[in-house]
Amino acid sequence: MSEHEWELSEAPLIPLRNVVVFPYHVLPLFVGRPKSLKSIESALASNRKVVLVCQKDESSEDPALADLYDVGVGAEILQLLKLPDGSDRVLVEGVRRVHLLDVRTDNDMLVAQIEPLPVDEKTSTERQALMRVVLDQFSQYVELSKKLPPESVNNVSGVTEPDRFADLVASSLLIGAEDRQMLLATLDAEERLHRIAELLAKEIYVLELARKIEGDVKAKIDQSQREYYLREQVRAIEKELGEEGEEAGEVGEYRNKLGKLHAPQYVRDKIDEELARLAKTPAMSPESSVIRTYLDWLISLPWEVKTPDKIDLKRARRVLDKDHYGLEEIKDRILEYLAVRKLSDKAKGPILCFVGPPGVGKTSLGKSIAETLGRKFVHVSLGGIRDEAEVRGHRRTYVGAMPGRIIQGIKQAGTRNPVFLLDEIDKVGADFRGDPTAALLEALDPEQNTQFSDHYIEIPFDLSDVLFLTTANVSDTIPSALLDRMEVISLPGYTDEEKQQIARHFLLPKALKQHGLKPEDLTIDDDAILAIIRQYTREAGVRGLERSLVRICRKVARAAVEQKKSFKGASVHADNLVDYLDLAPYSYTSLLKEARVGVACGLVVTQYGGDTVYVESTRMDGKGNLQLTGQLGDVMKESAQAALSYIRAHAADLGLDPHFIEKTDLHVHVPEGAVPKEGPSAGVTMATAMVSALTGRKVRADIAMTGEITLRGQVLPVGGIKAKVLGAYRAGIRKVILPEENRRDTTKISPDISEKLEFVFVNDIAQVFERALLPDETTAGSTSRQ
C-alpha cells in the first residue's frame, strides 16, 4: 500500500507501550488489551488499516488523548496469529505519518480521528550528501553494535528517496522511545537526517567507549590468568625440586624482609605463621591480598627502632624560648622531664594535657617539645571522632580494614618513641559504634600501654616510650577516668603585655616574611600594637592579633607594588590604625562607665578564655515571682533561688520591708541570650544585682566578682580564677572580689597583672554588698525604694 492510498479521516487505534513504528517499517506486535484486540478485529473485517500511536506513560492501561503522542503512523495489518493465552501476534507495516486529532470509544474499541501528514518527496544535492554521511555512520554503527544483522546496511543502501531512507535508518536504531518519537514527529526529511546523524555520532562514541572498556577488562583478565598459570607452573617445579617455594617468589621476598627486621620474637613468630598461610593460599584468592596487606603492616612498624633523646637543658630552654613567649609552667615541666631522663632512662614519660582557649599555642607546643627532645612528631586530630575503630583499628575480617590512628601515627613516624600529640581530646564523641575515649584509656595509661592491642595488628605493641601530649579547650567534657591518667596544665591566656611581646618578636616578623616585606618596609610602634590588642581583638590567644597584623601587611604589600620606586615604607601608629583596620569593634573600657542600679559585673570562663558578663536585675510590682532569662542552666537557676532566699531571710539587715516579696516581682537577666550559661560561680553576682534592684543602691562599675553563694550567705570557692582574672584585666576592670579560699590561686597569676589589680577576698555575701554597693544617695540607712 502506498502513502497516497492512506487518506482516511478515522481508523481503529492501537496504543503502543514504548514502541514507535515508522513508515516502511515492518514489525510484529503482541496485543493483549481488550480494546486493542477489538480494534484489530474491526480492521480485519474492513480495510485492514489501523493507527499506531505510542503512549507517553507506558503504565497507563486505558490511555486517553492526553496520554498519547500527537503524531503516529497509519499502518496495514499483514498477518495475524492467535496465541493460546488469548492475545494476538500481529505483523504490521507502517505506511504514512498521521496527526492524531481525537480519540473516542466505539463498540468497546478505540477509534482515532486523524489527519494524514504530507510526505516530503523533495530531493537535492545537499540531501544526497547528507544521506551518504548517514549511511557511513550507520555502517559503522552496525559494525560496532552486535545486536543488528549486517544486512541492515544493505536494506538501506539502495534507497534513493531521502524521506524513505531516513525512516528506514531510524527504524533500525536501538534508541529510546522518546528519541524515536522525536524522529517520527520531524516531517522535514533533511532535518530528520541531521538529527539521525547526531544520534548516530553519540551512539558510535558510546559503543567505541564500551568496546575499549571491554578490551581493557579482557586484557586484565588475560594477564591475571597468565600470572596464575605461571605461578602454578613455578609452584609445581619447586615442588618437584623439593624447594616448596621457601626461598622463591613472593614468600621468599617477605622472608628476606623478615631477616632484616628488628622485632620481638612473638612478632617474628606471627609473621612466620602468616607466611605459611600465604604459601598455601592461591594468588588469585581475595584472602591472599588480605594476608599480604597485613604482612606489609607488621614488617613496616618500628618494633625496636628508637630515636636517641638529645638531653641538653640549655639547648632545650633556647628552643622553647625561641618558639614560645612566656608559658613558664609548661617549660619548667618539660625541663624537669629532661632532667629525669638524663638521670634515669627507665622513667615513665608523663602524659601531659594542655587545657586552654584557642590560639594560646597548645598545638605548636607539641612541635617545640619534639624539637627539644630530637624526636619525631606525630599530630592526630580527634575532633569529631565517634568510632572506637578510629583509635583501635578494624578487625581483619572487615573489607578495607586498617589499623587505628595510633598505630598509623607510629608507622608514619618510623620510630617507637615519637612525641605523639592527640589534639582536641575534649571534642571526642560517642555513639552506637563505641566510645573512642574508652579506647584511649589503655594507650594513655603508662601501666598498660606496654601491651597496647590494636584490633587490626592483633599482637601487642609497646607504647611506653611514646611521649603522649593532649590538648583541650575545656576539661569538663573529658571523661574522669581519662582525665585521671593525664597531668593537666592550664594555659589561661596571655596578658596584653605578653601579647605585645609575642607580636613584636614572633608574629610581625613572620607576617613580613610571608608577604615578601622587609623590616624597613613596615614599622608598627608599641602603642599601635597595644591598640590592636585592646580594640581590635578580644581573645585569650593571639590568632586574632595575627590576622590583624597580616591584614596590615597585605595593605602595605599592595602599596609597595602600586607605588614601586616611590614607596618609602609605611609607619603605623595608634592614630592612623583605622586606615589599615577600619573602625575598632571594641572599646578598651568597662562596658559600664558609671554605677547603675541592678547591674553587677561577674566573671566567667568560656572556651575562648576568661571574660566578663553583666547580670541585670529589675523589680516590679507583683506577687513574689522570680523570672530568670538568658539561657541559664539548672545550677545557675538554683543559685538565683538561693540568693533570693538569703535576701528574704535578711531583709531587715538590708533595709527592706520583711514582707516585700508579697508585692514585688524580680526579673534577673544575663545578656547574650543565645549563649547557654551554667555553673554556680555567678551566685554572688546575681545576689548583688538583686539587692541593688531592691534597695536602689548602685553597683560600682569598676568592680567584678565571682563566687558561689549558700543559703547562709557563705561565699564558696570556684574554679578558673586565673582565666577569670585575666578576663577582667582585659576588660579594663581593676578591682576583683574573690572567695577567701581562692586566695592561693592568685599566686599563679603573673606579678605584672596582680600588681595592677586590687583583690578583695570575702567569706560572706554581706562583705560583697559592703564593697560592691554604693550608699543610697537619698535615703541611706532607711528602707529602699519600693
Side-chain angles (χ1 to χ4, degrees):
M1 181 181 292
S2 71
E3 301 154 340
H4 302 289
E5 297 175 12
W6 233 100
E7 297 292 346
L8 300 178
S9 60
E10 65 177 31
L13 171 67
I14 300 178
L16 304 178
R17 289 187 171 116
N18 210 26
V19 175
V20 177
V21 181
F22 288 87
Y24 318 105
H25 186 195
V26 178
L27 81 163
L29 298 176
F30 292 90
V31 182
R33 283 184 281 190
K35 289 185 178 180
S36 298
L37 294 173
K38 196 74 174 175
S39 295
I40 293 173
E41 183 181 332
S42 174
L44 290 174
S46 56
N47 54 13
R48 306 176 74 89
K49 297 177 181 178
V50 292
V51 175
L52 305 176
V53 182
C54 184
Q55 297 179 197
K56 296 178 181 177
D57 181 7
E58 62 178 310
S59 63
S60 176
E61 285 294 328
D62 189 13
L65 179 64
D67 300 321
L68 300 170
Y69 287 106
D70 59 353
V71 176
V73 67
E76 181 182 5
I77 298 176
L78 303 179
Q79 189 180 52
L80 172 67
L81 176 64
K82 293 286 186 180
L83 299 178
D85 61 357
S87 62
D88 290 351
R89 181 184 181 276
V90 185
L91 186 67
V92 298
E93 179 185 8
V95 178
R96 183 171 180 178
R97 287 176 172 79
V98 295
H99 181 216
L100 186 65
L101 301 175
D102 194 14
V103 176
R104 73 175 191 274
T105 302
D106 189 4
N107 294 328
D108 296 329
M109 71 175 183
L110 293 176
V111 177
Q113 183 178 349
I114 57 173
E115 176 188 359
L117 294 172
V119 180
D120 186 358
E121 297 179 340
K122 291 185 291 185
T123 183
S124 65
T125 305
E126 290 79 4
R127 294 193 177 196
Q128 292 298 323
L130 191 56
M131 288 170 61
R132 291 186 183 182
V133 171
V134 171
L135 182 61
D136 290 341
Q137 287 180 309
F138 186 62
S139 301
Q140 187 179 359
Y141 174 73
V142 171
E143 182 183 348
L144 290 171
S145 174
K146 300 177 181 178
K147 299 179 181 179
L148 290 176
E151 55 266 22
S152 300
V153 179
N154 298 330
N155 294 339
V156 300
S157 59
V159 179
T160 58
E161 301 93 335
D163 182 74
R164 183 172 184 176
F165 175 82
D167 284 341
L168 287 173
V169 173
S171 64
S172 301
L173 298 181
L174 303 175
I175 55 178
E178 290 185 2
D179 288 333
R180 294 172 70 87
Q181 182 65 35
M182 179 266 293
L183 294 175
L184 180 66
T186 305
L187 302 182
D188 185 86
E190 185 172 347
E191 182 182 354
R192 200 181 320 145
L193 286 169
H194 274 292
R195 293 187 176 182
I196 291 172
E198 292 174 3
L199 288 171
L200 279 171
K202 177 183 175 183
E203 290 296 314
I204 289 170
Y205 174 77
V206 173
L207 289 170
E208 286 178 339
L209 187 61
R211 175 171 288 190
K212 179 180 181 299
I213 294 173
E214 183 181 353
D216 292 343
V217 172
K218 186 174 183 299
K220 288 182 180 179
I221 294 175
D222 291 344
Q223 178 67 19
S224 299
Q225 290 176 338
R226 177 175 175 274
E227 289 179 0
Y228 175 74
Y229 175 75
L230 290 175
R231 288 182 187 278
E232 290 300 314
Q233 291 275 44
V234 169
R235 191 169 297 188
I237 293 170
E238 290 172 350
K239 187 174 182 180
E240 288 296 323
L241 295 174
E243 295 179 357
E244 294 292 332
E246 285 293 324
E247 302 299 333
E250 193 173 32
V251 175
E253 292 178 11
Y254 278 116
R255 292 205 177 278
N256 291 335
K257 292 179 181 179
L258 179 59
K260 302 174 184 178
L261 180 66
H262 298 284
Q265 187 58 43
Y266 67 89
V267 177
R268 305 179 75 86
D269 292 343
K270 182 66 175 177
I271 293 175
D272 280 331
E273 178 185 331
E274 293 297 320
L275 284 174
R277 288 183 58 206
L278 180 63
K280 298 176 183 177
T281 305
M284 299 300 295
S285 169
E287 182 66 18
S288 174
S289 174
V290 173
I291 296 173
R292 285 196 297 271
T293 304
Y294 180 62
L295 285 170
D296 289 338
W297 271 100
L298 289 183
I299 291 174
S300 63
L301 285 175
W303 296 96
E304 293 182 348
V305 179
K306 293 177 66 175
T307 304
D309 288 341
K310 298 177 182 178
I311 304 177
D312 183 343
L313 298 187
K314 292 182 179 179
R315 174 185 170 278
R317 183 74 196 197
R318 286 196 303 271
V319 171
L320 292 173
D321 288 341
K322 173 176 68 73
D323 296 333
H324 295 85
Y325 183 84
L327 306 178
E328 295 301 324
E329 183 180 355
I330 294 179
K331 292 177 181 178
D332 289 342
R333 185 65 187 85
I334 299 303
L335 294 175
E336 290 168 3
Y337 169 71
L338 289 176
V340 173
R341 290 286 298 178
K342 190 172 183 68
L343 297 175
S344 173
D345 57 358
K346 296 181 180 179
K348 295 177 180 177
I351 297 171
L352 305 179
C353 180
F354 302 144
V355 178
V360 296
K362 300 184 298 297
T363 304
S364 59
L365 262 173
K367 296 180 182 178
S368 296
I369 292 171
E371 184 182 353
T372 299
L373 294 169
R375 294 189 185 186
K376 297 293 183 66
F377 177 70
V378 179
H379 174 261
V380 173
S381 179
L382 300 179
I385 287 181
R386 294 182 173 273
D387 189 353
E388 179 195 2
E390 290 279 355
V391 177
R392 234 186 235 283
H394 297 81
R395 299 192 184 278
R396 282 192 288 155
T397 52
Y398 294 102
V399 175
M402 61 190 305
R405 296 202 180 193
I406 292 179
I407 293 297
Q408 289 183 40
I410 295 294
K411 179 189 175 185
Q412 171 193 336
T415 173
R416 58 177 282 186
N417 65 334
V419 174
F420 205 116
L421 179 68
L422 299 171
D423 210 1
E424 309 290 358
I425 199 171
D426 58 325
K427 296 177 179 60
V428 177
D431 61 11
F432 64 93
R433 291 168 292 186
D435 185 356
T437 58
L440 288 171
L441 292 177
E442 180 184 359
L444 299 182
D445 189 342
E447 302 296 330
Q448 300 180 41
N449 62 12
T450 55
Q451 298 287 313
F452 177 73
S453 176
D454 185 276
H455 288 158
Y456 182 85
I457 300 299
E458 293 181 348
I459 53 179
F461 190 93
D462 187 0
L463 298 177
S464 60
D465 290 323
V466 178
L467 177 56
F468 281 106
L469 305 174
T470 64
T471 71
N473 292 134
V474 292
S475 59
D476 301 343
T477 56
I478 303 175
S480 56
L482 185 59
L483 194 63
D484 183 60
R485 286 164 165 77
M486 301 184 292
E487 181 179 338
V488 177
I489 298 179
S490 296
L491 288 77
Y494 298 108
T495 65
D496 292 352
E497 288 74 13
E498 289 174 333
K499 289 182 181 180
Q500 198 171 18
Q501 295 299 321
I502 292 171
R504 178 67 65 194
H505 300 292
F506 297 93
L507 302 182
L508 185 55
K510 176 183 174 184
L512 290 172
K513 183 177 180 181
Q514 287 177 344
H515 292 78
L517 297 173
K518 300 175 182 178
E520 57 268 21
D521 292 335
L522 173 63
T523 57
I524 305 179
D525 62 23
D526 291 342
D527 290 340
I529 293 178
L530 200 58
I532 295 173
I533 294 168
R534 292 176 173 176
Q535 299 176 32
Y536 289 87
T537 65
R538 181 164 288 179
E539 58 180 350
V542 292
R543 284 193 182 135
L545 174 59
E546 183 176 13
R547 282 193 293 269
S548 297
L549 293 174
V550 166
R551 188 176 175 186
I552 293 173
C553 288
R554 285 201 305 266
K555 290 186 179 293
V556 174
R558 178 182 174 184
V561 173
E562 290 177 346
Q563 299 175 21
K564 298 181 180 178
K565 294 182 179 180
S566 62
F567 180 71
K568 303 298 183 182
S571 181
V572 180
H573 311 285
D575 297 335
N576 66 348
L577 198 56
V578 67
D579 298 334
Y580 295 90
L581 298 177
D582 296 331
L583 296 175
Y586 307 110
S587 173
Y588 180 63
T589 58
S590 176
L591 296 181
L592 289 181
K593 296 183 179 180
E594 59 181 21
R596 292 189 182 180
V597 174
V599 182
C601 181
L603 298 175
V604 296
V605 177
T606 69
Q607 60 176 340
Y608 304 106
D611 203 354
T612 57
V613 61
Y614 283 91
V615 176
E616 301 174 347
S617 180
T618 187
R619 62 168 295 281
M620 303 158 286
D621 293 337
K623 299 181 180 180
N625 295 323
L626 175 62
Q627 186 176 0
L628 303 171
T629 56
Q631 260 206 89
L632 309 185
D634 291 339
V635 175
M636 207 165 178
K637 291 178 181 179
E638 290 168 1
S639 296
Q641 294 284 357
L644 180 59
S645 297
Y646 173 84
I647 295 171
R648 292 178 61 184
H650 297 80
D653 298 335
L654 297 171
L656 296 171
D657 180 355
H659 302 289
F660 78 92
I661 198 66
E662 297 175 0
K663 51 185 177 180
T664 302
D665 283 353
L666 272 176
H667 185 170
V668 177
H669 176 69
V670 183
E672 296 187 36
V675 180
K677 306 166 189 72
E678 184 59 294
S681 64
V684 297
T685 313
M686 290 191 287
T688 303
M690 285 192 279
V691 170
S692 173
L694 291 168
T695 62
R697 296 169 62 185
K698 296 180 177 179
V699 184
R700 293 179 55 170
D702 63 342
I703 199 166
M705 62 195 74
T706 184
E708 180 180 355
I709 186 176
T710 70
L711 285 175
R712 294 173 296 165
Q714 283 185 291
V715 179
L716 301 182
V718 293
I721 292 298
K722 186 176 180 180
K724 291 177 179 178
V725 170
L726 287 177
Y729 180 78
R730 282 194 293 268
I733 290 173
R734 294 297 177 260
K735 182 178 287 188
V736 181
I737 297 177
L738 301 174
E740 177 64 41
E741 293 188 37
N742 284 122
R743 182 187 293 269
R744 61 181 180 273
D745 296 314
T746 60
T747 60
K748 299 179 181 179
I749 300 171
S750 169
D752 295 338
I753 301 298
S754 59
E755 291 173 0
K756 297 176 184 178
L757 295 175
E758 179 185 345
F759 296 113
V760 178
F761 299 101
V762 297
N763 288 310
D764 192 273
I765 190 64
Q767 296 173 280
V768 178
F769 298 154
E770 180 183 348
R771 293 300 190 101
L773 297 176
L774 296 173
D776 194 325
E777 297 174 356
T778 57
T779 57
S782 65
T783 57
S784 67
R785 306 168 199 150
Q786 294 293 323

